[in-house]
Structure formats: structure tokens, C-alpha cells
Amino acid sequence: MTLARLDADGSRGVPELRYLARGADGGHTVLACLPPPGGDPTRWAAEAQQAARLTQPGFWPVGELGGTPAFPWYSSPYRPALPLPAVLAAYGGPLPEPLIRTLGGTLAEALASAHVLGIVHGGVCPAGVLLTACGPLLSCFGATRANPLAESTAAQATRLETGCLAPELAAGGPVDRAGDVYALGAVLAYAATGYTVPEWQEIPVGLRDIVMACRSRDPQGRPEPARVLAELLPGAAYGGLAGGTEPVSLPGRVVEALSRQSAEVLASALPSQGR
């Protein structure tokens, strides 16, 4: 039973349909995801199966897989989470630099841990970042092994539209780690300005160098995720951010939005009186 859309109506750059829903047993609340309109359900299902094997810290888990080849879906246990565009909407604009540094460093650590295993996310974008009380998680996978499948046409179109597709990928190159770093730069730019492709002077001075390095047109000129982490959070211990279980410091308006979502979902999921 569908309770609500995770993404606001008219949201751009969302590469799948995401719903807060009650599980089939009626006792569990889940995040249910389906292929985007016009997407290839077979390819989407294959990506979901691959992403289900990605259990690294910092990634939103792909739980139960189901449906048919024509109508696949997957669900994950619910926890209060806001897509990054909803976070900016709740806050009222671009985020404060300390939060951007924490968010970017955590995402960089998650990507580094995946890249070590030869896994490329392939779908990093603002809508794919889900902020929880304990920090951000990467979703909207597209996650693939570094050597097999090319990125799906629907995913490429979505990321090209949102400024998250690296130039070499737009030209037909393979999905690779450097493309993930380019997209991470777009996410940092979005968090700092509200745009994935802002003017240089719009980016806060303290973030300009690392954002522009990530968004270099030359893949060889982009930093590794571990360096992005070091630049954003000097002195941070690698392995202590992604998948954290302790609450992080969030602005009050963002905490309020997470709490409101949780309360609304809980109220919707409660059984009716007399049943």
C-alpha cells in the first residue's frame, strides 16, 4: 500500500519512482522503488540485482526484489530520509559549508570503499543522495562493475539533464571511477549553490578548488575520492564516516522535515481503530 511519494511532484533528475509504502504483511514500512517512466525495466532490474550485492557502508541498501520482467520493483526497510533537493527546500536554500563538507566527505568515503572493490556507482546525482539523521547515503545505484555493462540510456539522459554526466561519458565512453568523481563534484556544487553547474564565483571560496577539480573535463585531472575526503575534512579518519550510526549535526529545519516525514509515515502506517 502506497503511503506517499518520496520525491516532490515535478522533481527533476530522479532516475526511478520512489514511494514510502506499507509492506505486504501490513506490519512494515518500506521505501519501494520502480523503474522510471520510459526506462528499460529489464536493465533497471539487472542494475537493482547488482546493487543488492553492494553492501558497503554509505549506500542505501537494496532489499527485497520482486515483480515481473515487465514490472520489477525493489523495497528497503524505511528510515526517515530526504533526497538532497528536499533538504535544500527544507533549509530554504544552499546548505552551510560545514554540512557540505561532512556530506561530501561521507559520500567520497563511500565511493572510495566501492572503487577499491572495482565497483562504480554510475548514478551519483543530487536526487540519489538521501540524507538521514546519521548522514547521507547513496542510492539510485546504476551501480555496475567497472568492466561490464554500459550505463543505461535512461540513466545517461537523466544525468546529462542534471549536469552530473561527465563529458567523456556523454561522448560514449565507459562508466568509470572518474565519472563518479565528476558527479560528486556536481552534488557538492548543488549543495553549495542550488545548481549542479554554477558559475565559478557562485561556489563558496572554501569549496571552489575541490569542486572545480572534481568537475575537470580531463578525467585524469580529477582527484581520487580519498583525496576529496582529505580536502573536505582534513584530519578525518578514513572509515569513520560512511554508514555511521551516530546522529550528525543538521540544521533545525532539516531535522524538523525529517521528523515530520517520520510522524506522517507512522500515522499512515498505524492500523485503523477497530481493525
Side-chain angles (χ1 to χ4, degrees):
M1 172 183 169
T2 299
L3 303 177
R5 284 281 300 273
L6 179 67
D7 303 283
D9 292 340
S11 296
R12 296 176 62 249
V14 182
E16 57 189 2
L17 296 177
R18 303 185 291 194
Y19 298 91
L20 304 178
R22 187 180 297 162
D25 61 1
H28 295 85
T29 303
V30 299
L31 174 64
C33 302
L34 298 87
D40 180 351
T42 301
R43 176 53 195 263
W44 184 89
E47 290 178 342
Q49 290 174 344
Q50 290 180 12
R53 305 187 187 103
L54 184 60
T55 58
Q56 296 300 104
F59 291 87
W60 186 275
V62 173
E64 182 182 0
L65 296 160
T68 66
F71 301 100
W73 54 265
Y74 75 85
S75 66
S76 304
Y78 168 74
R79 72 180 86 174
L82 294 172
L84 190 55
V87 174
L88 268 68
Y91 184 69
L95 302 178
E97 185 171 326
L99 178 55
I100 296 171
R101 288 180 174 275
T102 298
L103 184 147
T106 304
L107 298 178
E109 184 180 279
L111 288 174
S113 69
H115 290 177
V116 165
L117 299 179
I119 298 173
V120 176
H121 184 278
V124 177
C125 62
V129 176
L130 298 181
L131 184 63
T132 74
C134 296
L137 298 172
L138 278 169
S139 67
C140 295
F141 45 87
T144 66
R145 293 283 170 184
N147 58 351
L149 304 169
E151 186 172 30
S152 66
T153 301
Q156 279 202 353
T158 296
R159 298 210 296 136
L160 183 62
E161 177 190 0
T162 57
C164 296
L165 188 67
E168 68 274 12
L169 302 185
V175 180
D176 61 6
R177 296 182 300 176
D180 274 352
V181 174
Y182 183 92
L184 176 59
V187 168
L188 291 172
Y190 179 83
T193 68
Y195 303 98
T196 52
V197 191
E199 297 294 332
W200 179 80
Q201 64 272 18
E202 292 180 286
I203 304 171
V205 173
L207 298 171
R208 283 178 187 170
D209 288 348
I210 191 62
V211 169
M212 298 309 291
C214 289
R215 291 185 61 79
S216 170
R217 294 190 65 82
D218 176 12
Q220 300 301 317
R222 296 174 202 149
E224 292 290 330
R227 187 190 137 203
V228 177
L229 168 59
E231 292 283 342
L232 291 172
L233 297 172
Y238 179 80
L241 295 171
T245 57
E246 295 296 322
V248 299
S249 178
L250 297 174
R253 282 170 284 183
V254 176
V255 173
E256 180 185 0
L258 284 167
S259 300
R260 183 168 56 249
Q261 181 196 89
S262 179
E264 291 172 352
V265 167
L266 178 61
S268 297
L270 288 173
S272 300
Q273 295 259 342
R275 291 184 61 185

